[in-house]
Structure formats: C-alpha cells, structure tokens
Amino acid sequence: MSEEPTFERFLAAVRGTNPFRSHRITDVGGGEATVESIHKNAFTKLVRVVQDAAKEPISIGALLIGAPGVGKSHLLARLFQWAGEDRATVVYLHNILASPERMLRYVLSATVSDLAGHRGSDYTQSRLYTVLNRAVIRTGALKGRKMMTGPREIDARKEALARLGAKIDPQNAVIPVLNAFLTGTSHASLGDAGAEKRAQAAVLWLSGETLGPDEARLLDQAAGEDGLALADDAAVERVLHVLSHLCALAELPLVLCLDQIDNLDADAVRALMSYAHALLDRAKHLVVIVSGVKQSMLSLRTGEVIPAAAWDRIAERILELHMISPEEARAILEGRLDAALSGFDEKEIEELMAARKRDRLFPLGSAWLERRLDGVQELRPRDAILWARDRWEAQQDRLAAVGGKRWLKEWPGPEREPKEPDGRLEDVIDAEVKKKLVEGTTRRRLQQASLPPDEDNLASLTHHLLARCAGKGASTLLSVEHATAKRRGKAAPAHHLVAKEKRADGVIVTTGVTFLCAPSGHGARLPLQRMVEDTKHTDKRILVTDEERRPLRLGGAGKAAYDALCKLGRQRFLHLTLDFAGHAELDSLVGLLGAARSHDLEIEHPRGQYRKVTEAEVLASFERQSLLLAHPLLRELLTEEIVKGGGDSTPPPAWDPQQTREHIMAELSWRLGLMAKELAQIFASRKKLQEKRFPEVWSHIKKTAQALHDEGHVHATATDDDLFVQLRGKK
C-alpha cells in the first residue's frame, strides 16, 4: 500500500531526486515535460513537412541543425509525441553504424525492428500491425467487413492487402510477406503457435535477414543454396518504398529521423547520406529528417563528405534552431517544476501550495533566476537546465543541514558557499565518461528494438574501437582490418575482421574474427565452413555469437564445421558469446566517441564553467579506466588473455521480487515519476538497511524497474547512471 503524499513525503522527494538532472533526450518516446512555445516555428514547419508528404506522392528531406544543447533532440521528441496521437509513424534512428556496403540494409533492419518490436509473441501491439490494418480500412479495401479476428475476417484482410499491393508493389515481392506477417500475427492471437512462427519469419525477411528452407516454407517460398533473402540494395529499397506507401494509405506517414549523424565517421556519413538521397528520389510519401550540430554538418558539406547533390535533396527544407530568450528559459524551468510537483499539488499539501503561490519557481526561486539571467540576452536550453540542476542541489544541501521546517520558513535561505574545486580535470572527465557509458547501455537495454542483432553492426562497432588502439599503449594489437562485404561475383570473406597481434616473444599472430547472428542453422553453415577452410591466412579464429537473442543454431553441415573448429583447440579457436548488454556496451563506447567528435560532450570544470571534451580525451579516459579491456571481446584482441563471456555473478537479493515490484508501483501511483535512486532510498529506509548495502538496493531497484518496463507497466528512461521511472500512460 502506498502512503498518502504529505509535506514530509514532499521533503523526501526533494532530497532524493532532481528533475533537472537530465539535460538531453535519451528516449524520444519518454514522457518528459516540454514547453510548446520553445522553437514553436521550427516545430510547426516540421509538422507541415510531414503533412505535405502525407497528402502528395512525394518524399521530402529536412535538415535540422543548431549548436550543441540548443534542443534538436527535444524537438524530435516533440515530433515523436505529436505523431503518437494518431498522426504519423516516426522511426528514430541513432548511432547507425555499419560498413558502407551494408548501410542501407542496416537502416532497413533497424526500421523494421522498430516497427515490429523485439518481442515476437506480441506483434499485435506493434506499429507495423497497426499500419497494415489501418491501410486496408482507410482505403475501403475491406469492402464493408468489420475489423474482427475470426478466420473469415482474417482472410478478408489478406485479400484486401493483396488488392492494395497490386498498385504499390507491382512485382508482388513485398506484399505477400507483409500478408504473412498480418495473417500470422492475427492467427497467433487466436493461439496458433505455428502462425506466430510465420509472422516471425516475415519480420526476418523484411529486415534483410537470410532465411533457411524451413523459414522460407513458412512464407510459401523456396530457399536456394544461399538461403532466401533480399538480393540487393534495390530489393532493400523496395521494402522501404512499400512500407512508406502503406503508412501513407493508413494516414500515418513514415518519417525516418537520422539523429546526430555527425557522430559517425566520414565513410559512414557518406554512405548513409547517399542512401538517404536515393530513397528520397525514388520513394513516395516518405520524410527523412537528418539532424546534427550545425558546425559539424557544414564541415561535412564543405569537405564534400556529403556530396552537393545529396545535400540539396536532404536539405530541401532547412530548420535551424537558435538560442532561446530569458523568458523562454523561465518557461522551461516552470514546465519541469509543474510536472515534477504535480502529484503533490493534486493532493493539496498546504505548505507546498502556499510556497508555490508565493513563487511559481519554488524551490528554485524567481530571484535566483533573475540574478543568473542578469545581462544575458540569449542562452541554450541546456544552460538553463544545468543552472536549475545546481540550484536544486543547493536546496538539497540546505534542507539536509537545517531540516524541513526551518528550510521552508527561511527559504530561499542564504546563498550557498562556492564548492571546493571538483578535483583534477582527468577525474571529472572520467566520472562523466563512466556515467554516459552506463546511460547509453541502459538506453539500448530499455529500447532493445533500436539495436537489432546484426553481424555487420557488431563488426563495425568492434573495428571502430580497435582501430583507435592499434599500435598504441600497452596493447598487443598492431593492426585490424574490416573485410568488405560480399560483392556480386566474388566469394564472401572468411572473417569480418582480421587482427594482427605481437606476442611477448615477438611472434606476429593473425586472428580472424567472425560474427554470427543467423536466425537459422542454414544461415550458420556457410560462415562456419569458410572459417574451417581458412587455414593459410590466420593463426587463430574467433567466433562471436549473440547468445541472448540469436543463439547459435546448427544443422548437420553446420555442426560438422563447428566440431572441426573445436578440434583445433582453445589456442587456435575460441567461441565468445555475447549477451545484449555486451552488444549495447560496444554501441555506447562508440556513441560516446562520436558525441565528442561532434562537440556534443561537455563537462563542468571548474564549477560553473562548461567545456567540451575532445575525442582524444575520451580515448585517454577509456585507457585510464580500462573500459575497453573490461569488454570480453575487446580484451581478447587487445591482450593475450583469454576471457570467457560471463553472465551476472551477483547473487540474488534477499528481498521478495514481488514485494519490490509492488513497492515501485505503489510509489509511482500518486506521482509523475521518480528516479530509481529515490525509490531505492525509500526502500532501504523502510527495510532499515545499513548504508553500505545501498548500492546493492539501488542495483536491485533498477533491474526490477527494467523488468517492469519490458512488461509495459512502467516507462523507464536512462539518465546518467540512473533511471527515471513513470507509470505507463502518465505524462
């Protein structure tokens, strides 16, 4: 049972959380409070772009630029929230990294994963299922049939979608697979397990995966020797074209948001923008929004990383965000305070209502903000939020020092004495790097569909990190090459990566690394056979698999090849298994380097002054904290030590898991949301646990909140090394 909010509960909330801790968007689908008046003109133009593409058979490119911290990701989050009100289908793609040859296929994979979700047993809740059903309804293709889930109604929807396909998919290549998804999902909702497998096979094919004979038969197709898959980039484009047209027919136009593309290397940017250009030229009813820091984006243009023709198409509509006024800064702070205190206001806590009546900015204070804004003509939204974060911390310190009654009576109290210097610059950088890495990994964990299992993505992330270590420091790595993807008429390479290491005795050892995320035993056969046959080019072979989402599946030929590799012995063959966290950690490491490259990573040093962290400083921090060596795959290629892929060895807590879940749900039942840290503090206080056990409690609360997020009961957002947790449906 939850306790009724009281003034003491309000004080506990002030002590335990800070609504201004997050100053950047990590989840466009989150419920963070926004102020409609901020960048209103740019948002209106963005909405008009989407509406134009919905009405006319055209595709539109939009370029969103501005300085770091000016609110680009916040604007995309507002677009996502607007679209969620039955207006558009927005797919948010961040840190899209793949080899140039596979970039378009990875964009498709990430898009379909986002639309279908990562839980195959719940496709009825996916946006793809909604789009297909709405398309056949809004176009009248059902011819008066009611939207029911009986066998006859399912057949009617299948026929209606096929009729639509005659117009938008003349080759009849994509619509039959979408129909397999539609009917498979519908029949699966009636308890047909076989139908669920058919829907899953359809999602795999639409994502660009290679299907074996069994999966192909589920789609009424035949798999050749190399399996069934989209043959080339033209086939990949066709899937995206059909999806965008169906979204338009459903009156939910497709919008691809490519955020922070300037975080990528030049080759990746060039490939991604080339494909975006081609999509816009040939698709209909599609919007592609490209977002990045203005300075970085202009450098990519003047350096011809983005060709002139691609730039003109992508930047057909340019939206530049500028600094905000002091009045707008105040509105942002008021909006966050209103959201954070809404649960207490609703319960009419007398002390709080009186304080809020005196000063809308309580507990920050209007006089404090006026002093901060004295002489300021314009500023970034990020600056205003950072100021408020520090001011909230000052009030927390005052509250802890004098107690609740005196704090309120004397509020706002004396100015806080300046804090001591925050220590060495390197220490501040290390702390920020560690927090952002945890945040990035947690964000992907909470949004698993945004990082689908993909061999080329894993290889690209690993190469990106290893290439920066080759020949440097204490690493044994001399060089690493990323083998090009299979081209027409040429055999596929035996390995994705080839690394050269120098042993302690001076001998050069060549290691081939193969990533395998095949959904079937058929897909694993050829890569494993190529590894077996590669006896001349490598001294050691490493197989890396995603055992959490795509465990290694072996048919007869694949098992024979795998057994042959195992017979080589541990010094010549190693099978490393990664879980989702291992994949997400690689993505987070690369993402942090990209943020520094685009001048979008900042620290506060000394107190009150903000400076950008360079890519070189991030790499130095990685080395100081041994962050790359902590990853089992990277460690294997940077040292001679062999490390097994391990799981979580932390023993389960002594608390009843159901009790923890009830605690979280009860505390959230009467407030907008709480940080996991505050939930942990309340939990520890009630259990009368020793202070030394708090890290254990905090970790336990975060894991439970993540589970509740996966089940759809709460919405959790990664914020530094913590989570902001809300009940689903609350804003």
Side-chain angles (χ1 to χ4, degrees):
M1 296 290 293
S2 63
E3 298 177 13
E4 277 294 304
T6 63
F7 181 59
E8 289 302 319
R9 297 286 289 157
F10 164 70
L11 295 177
V14 173
R15 294 187 188 99
T17 193
N18 188 333
F20 303 98
R21 187 176 178 185
S22 174
H23 57 80
R24 63 176 70 232
I25 287 290
T26 62
D27 175 12
V28 293
E32 185 173 291
T34 58
V35 180
E36 293 184 2
S37 61
I38 308 300
H39 301 315
K40 183 178 181 179
N41 290 338
F43 181 70
T44 301
K45 290 179 181 178
L46 203 54
V47 168
R48 191 175 299 127
V49 167
V50 177
Q51 293 171 336
D52 288 347
K55 296 174 184 176
E56 302 294 334
I58 58 174
S59 290
I60 305 173
L63 180 64
L64 178 61
I65 55 176
V70 80
K72 298 182 294 298
S73 294
H74 280 78
L75 194 70
L76 293 180
R78 285 177 60 190
L79 180 69
F80 191 93
Q81 292 164 11
W82 170 85
E85 297 174 5
D86 214 24
R87 288 167 171 151
T89 305
V90 178
V91 177
Y92 180 79
L93 304 176
H94 172 68
N95 203 27
I96 295 292
L97 188 61
S99 58
E101 299 87 351
R102 302 275 301 182
M103 185 65 77
L104 180 61
R105 197 169 289 258
Y106 187 66
V107 168
L108 174 66
S109 175
T111 299
V112 172
S113 178
D114 185 279
L115 293 177
H118 71 284
R119 289 187 287 271
S121 61
D122 199 22
Y123 285 143
T124 56
Q125 303 301 311
S126 70
R127 292 195 287 167
L128 181 57
Y129 188 68
T130 298
V131 164
L132 296 179
N133 281 305
R134 280 187 50 143
V136 298
I137 294 171
R138 296 297 171 95
T139 58
L142 270 180
K143 296 183 177 180
R145 286 262 186 183
K146 294 182 179 180
M147 272 300 299
M148 299 175 67
T149 57
R152 290 185 178 180
E153 287 75 21
I154 293 173
D155 286 342
R157 278 184 281 167
K158 179 180 179 180
E159 294 170 5
L161 184 56
R163 286 194 292 272
L164 289 180
K167 298 178 181 179
I168 65 177
D169 183 25
Q171 297 92 345
N172 200 34
V174 182
I175 288 295
V177 181
L178 286 169
N179 242 328
F181 172 81
L182 177 64
T183 58
T185 300
S186 300
H187 282 296
S189 69
L190 302 178
D192 185 342
E196 183 178 311
K197 291 181 179 178
R198 185 164 69 252
Q200 290 172 342
V203 170
L204 290 171
W205 186 89
L206 292 166
S207 302
E209 297 281 7
T210 300
L211 305 186
D214 293 340
E215 292 85 1
R217 278 192 290 272
L218 292 171
L219 303 180
D220 297 323
Q221 299 192 46
E225 183 179 347
D226 292 338
L228 176 68
L230 298 171
D232 49 29
D233 285 346
V236 172
E237 278 192 30
R238 192 178 301 120
V239 175
L240 287 168
H241 294 173
V242 172
L243 288 174
S244 65
H245 209 136
L246 283 169
C247 286
L249 292 176
E251 300 178 9
L252 295 168
L254 180 60
V255 182
L256 300 182
C257 293
L258 307 178
D259 193 17
Q260 299 178 3
I261 68 136
D262 45 335
N263 285 9
L264 304 176
D265 284 343
D267 287 345
V269 172
R270 186 178 293 108
L272 185 57
M273 293 300 95
S274 173
Y275 284 126
H277 180 195
L279 281 174
L280 287 168
D281 275 353
R282 293 191 278 268
K284 296 178 180 179
H285 303 292
L286 174 68
V287 176
V288 177
I289 302 172
V290 174
S291 173
V293 174
K294 179 181 179 180
Q295 178 184 349
S296 302
M297 293 299 297
L298 294 178
S299 296
L300 292 171
R301 171 65 193 93
T302 56
E304 297 187 350
V305 173
I306 303 178
W311 179 273
D312 291 343
R313 194 67 176 91
I314 293 160
E316 184 178 349
R317 310 278 180 93
I318 298 179
L319 299 91
E320 182 176 354
L321 300 190
H322 300 283
M323 308 280 251
I324 61 173
S325 67
E327 292 76 20
E328 290 173 318
R330 181 185 178 99
I332 289 175
L333 302 189
E334 287 180 352
R336 286 217 182 181
L337 284 172
D338 288 345
L341 303 178
S342 61
F344 297 102
D345 286 342
E346 291 169 2
K347 297 300 180 179
E348 298 185 352
I349 298 172
E350 182 179 345
E351 298 92 337
L352 177 59
M353 292 181 67
R356 295 266 285 163
K357 187 175 182 180
R358 292 197 310 271
D359 192 330
R360 178 86 181 275
L361 283 181
F362 174 84
L364 302 178
S366 296
W368 158 80
L369 184 60
E370 289 173 6
R371 290 193 298 272
R372 289 304 312 245
L373 291 172
D374 185 29
V376 175
Q377 300 298 317
E378 59 181 13
L379 69 160
R380 304 179 305 168
R382 182 180 296 178
D383 295 327
I385 295 170
L386 288 171
W387 294 347
R389 179 204 64 187
D390 292 346
R391 176 63 174 176
W392 190 281
E393 289 179 0
Q395 292 300 321
Q396 286 176 322
D397 292 345
R398 174 72 178 166
L399 176 58
V402 302
K405 291 183 178 180
R406 182 178 169 187
W407 170 72
L408 183 61
K409 181 179 179 180
E410 298 178 355
W411 183 85
E415 288 293 318
R416 182 172 68 172
E417 291 295 321
K419 284 191 173 183
E420 293 296 318
D422 291 311
R424 298 186 311 142
L425 174 62
E426 290 81 3
D427 294 337
V428 177
I429 292 175
D430 287 351
E432 185 69 11
V433 163
K434 195 65 178 291
K435 285 192 301 184
K436 291 306 176 188
L437 287 178
V438 173
E439 179 184 282
T441 302
T442 304
R443 180 178 67 246
R444 292 296 199 185
R445 165 69 181 79
L446 295 170
Q447 307 159 31
Q448 286 197 35
S450 70
L451 189 66
D454 186 272
E455 297 157 5
D456 190 68
N457 176 251
L458 277 167
S460 298
L461 291 169
T462 305
H463 177 261
H464 190 100
L465 295 166
L466 292 177
R468 283 155 174 73
C469 302
K472 298 178 181 177
S475 167
T476 60
L477 184 67
L478 298 177
S479 66
V480 60
E481 296 181 5
H482 190 176
T484 57
K486 181 179 180 181
R487 296 181 180 178
R488 189 173 298 175
K490 292 186 178 181
H495 305 285
H496 290 98
L497 304 178
V498 177
K500 291 186 181 297
E501 295 181 83
K502 187 175 183 179
R503 288 194 328 213
D505 58 5
V507 174
I508 305 299
V509 178
T510 302
T511 303
V513 186
T514 297
F515 297 85
L516 191 52
C517 297
S520 68
H522 183 88
R525 175 177 60 89
L526 289 177
L528 291 173
Q529 287 178 343
R530 286 193 291 266
M531 289 184 73
V532 172
E533 294 165 0
D534 184 39
T535 59
K536 297 180 179 179
H537 304 100
T538 57
D539 304 297
K540 182 178 181 178
R541 281 155 274 190
I542 298 177
L543 174 66
V544 183
T545 58
D546 181 337
E547 288 301 301
E548 182 174 337
R549 297 179 293 171
R550 292 279 177 83
L552 182 61
R553 295 174 59 185
L554 299 172
K559 187 176 187 307
Y562 183 76
D563 290 344
L565 289 168
C566 291
K567 289 178 181 178
L568 295 174
R570 190 171 175 79
Q571 295 305 312
R572 297 179 61 196
F573 172 69
L574 178 63
H575 180 187
L576 275 175
T577 61
L578 292 181
D579 55 11
F580 179 79
H583 189 170
E585 286 165 14
L586 293 173
D587 178 82
S588 185
L589 288 162
V590 171
L592 192 55
L593 288 171
R597 188 184 312 116
S598 61
H599 313 292
D600 200 20
L601 180 64
E602 297 178 336
I603 58 167
E604 185 180 9
H605 189 273
R607 190 77 174 177
Q609 297 182 23
Y610 299 94
R611 70 179 292 275
K612 300 185 188 307
V613 182
T614 67
E615 188 175 5
E617 288 174 325
V618 172
L619 281 169
S621 179
F622 286 176
E623 184 174 357
R624 283 193 300 271
Q625 301 187 77
S626 298
L627 294 175
L628 300 184
L629 293 177
H631 193 282
L633 173 58
L634 299 178
R635 185 179 184 89
E636 175 60 33
L637 293 165
L638 293 172
T639 71
E640 296 181 20
E641 181 180 352
I642 297 175
V643 179
K644 296 181 180 179
D648 186 0
S649 60
T650 305
W655 313 294
D656 177 9
Q658 183 60 31
Q659 188 180 68
T660 309
R661 295 164 70 92
E662 291 172 356
H663 162 73
I664 292 174
M665 297 301 290
E667 291 301 320
L668 296 177
S669 65
W670 52 275
R671 281 194 279 187
L672 176 88
L674 289 167
M675 301 300 293
K677 191 170 188 177
E678 182 184 3
L679 286 164
Q681 289 168 336
I682 298 170
F683 188 85
S685 175
R686 287 178 179 164
K687 294 290 183 182
K688 296 181 171 54
L689 299 175
Q690 295 179 345
E691 186 175 346
K692 66 181 181 180
R693 295 197 66 187
F694 182 75
E696 179 187 354
V697 178
W698 189 17
S699 176
H700 175 59
I701 290 290
K702 286 193 284 187
K703 288 182 179 179
T704 306
Q706 288 173 358
L708 289 169
H709 173 94
D710 288 343
E711 295 165 13
H713 300 303
V714 305
H715 187 94
T717 304
T719 304
D720 288 340
D721 55 353
D722 205 357
L723 294 174
F724 180 66
V725 190
Q726 302 166 279
L727 281 180
R728 283 283 182 185
K730 295 194 74 173
K731 295 291 184 182

